[in-house]
Amino acid sequence: MDLIVFLAGAALFGGGFFLLLYFLFRKKPLTWPFVLMIFGVIACFVGLLLSSPLTETSAAFISTETYL
């Protein structure tokens, strides 16, 4: 699910970017492209947070450096 959230965020950001280029070309208000890009960045961060392996057990495991 974390990959799906990240990819959805990347798609929102990419769609907002191309919409921004289109709206710049047509000289329309740029509110919606920036809203899409902001939601895309937030969704990407949520996807990265969901995939974060740093739980209590893994953080303790990494701090002991026994994984080498």
Side-chain angles (χ1 to χ4, degrees):
M1 175 161 150
D2 50 350
L3 180 62
I4 293 171
V5 172
F6 182 80
L7 291 177
L12 282 172
F13 186 84
F17 178 74
F18 285 111
L19 198 61
L20 175 71
L21 293 177
Y22 176 74
F23 280 10
L24 280 171
F25 182 70
R26 295 289 181 188
K27 296 183 180 175
K28 293 186 177 195
L30 303 177
T31 306
W32 287 110
F34 282 110
V35 168
L36 284 176
M37 291 169 77
I38 289 169
F39 282 144
V41 168
I42 291 171
C44 282
F45 280 128
V46 168
L48 289 174
L49 287 174
L50 288 174
S51 68
S52 176
L54 291 179
T55 60
E56 286 184 30
T57 56
S58 65
F61 181 69
I62 290 172
S63 68
T64 58
E65 298 181 12
T66 57
Y67 61 92
L68 293 176

